[in-house]
Amino acid sequence: MNKIEHIGIAVKSLKDSNELFSKLFGEPHYKIEEVEREGVNTSFFKVGENKIELLEATNEDSPIAKFINKKGEGIHHIAFDVTNIESEIKRLKNEGFIVLNEMPKKGADNKLVAFLHPKSSNGVLIELCQEIKD
């Protein structure tokens, strides 16, 4: 793992949260993107070398809607940048982590992503991210 790529925060309203976090960071978001397959709209902020991803559900069946209904708004996941996502998935599975998707999928912000179940990482949902090379 190279670095923390971003922290994901589940929100009820992207519009309201964009206003709030713009005030907090003193800068507007730089990107809004829909990930239709996951039922989520995302908004990204850059804070120094770090990124914050706001996540809003687009339907009641999305993982974000279920998270908010169960736990309320708040930190949803921590994402780590990796060089080779397939080898990291294999390594972590061999280390005993529960991998939620054994094949990486296309996520927001031009990334391939995979997730580790929070039960295997002290209650924290971990996202692995690899930049998609053109």
Side-chain angles (χ1 to χ4, degrees):
M1 294 196 192
N2 301 321
K3 65 177 183 174
I4 293 176
E5 209 286 328
H6 67 267
I7 297 172
I9 301 174
V11 301
K12 292 179 183 175
S13 167
L14 205 57
K15 180 183 178 296
D16 293 345
S17 295
N18 275 337
E19 290 178 22
L20 174 73
F21 282 87
S22 289
K23 290 176 187 174
L24 177 67
F25 300 138
E27 296 285 336
H29 61 276
Y30 70 86
K31 176 188 225 178
I32 292 180
E33 183 177 347
E34 181 179 10
V35 183
E36 189 174 342
R37 179 181 62 257
E38 298 297 322
V40 67
N41 284 326
T42 65
S43 176
F44 285 90
F45 288 84
K46 187 99 166 134
V47 184
E49 294 296 314
N50 303 301
K51 291 192 287 188
I52 301 294
E53 176 187 32
L54 303 182
L55 304 136
E56 173 193 61
T58 58
N59 64 65
E60 288 301 313
D61 295 326
S62 81
I64 296 302
K66 291 175 185 174
F67 177 90
I68 288 174
N69 287 337
K70 186 175 179 181
K71 297 185 177 186
E73 293 179 294
I75 294 178
H76 178 259
H77 67 269
I78 300 175
F80 292 90
D81 175 67
V82 298
T83 304
N84 184 321
I85 196 165
E86 286 92 359
S87 65
E88 268 309 284
I89 290 169
K90 184 177 179 181
R91 181 185 75 79
L92 292 166
K93 189 174 177 185
N94 288 338
E95 291 287 350
F97 290 91
I98 301 167
V99 178
L100 293 175
N101 45 302
E102 298 204 17
M103 291 300 299
K105 54 189 174 180
K106 186 168 182 347
D109 205 28
N110 197 41
K111 302 281 190 281
L112 289 175
V113 300
F115 290 89
L116 304 182
H117 197 289
K119 287 181 182 175
S120 64
S121 50
N122 288 351
V124 179
L125 179 64
I126 301 293
E127 179 181 4
L128 307 175
C129 296
Q130 179 185 325
E131 187 83 24
I132 297 173
K133 306 289 185 200
D134 293 329

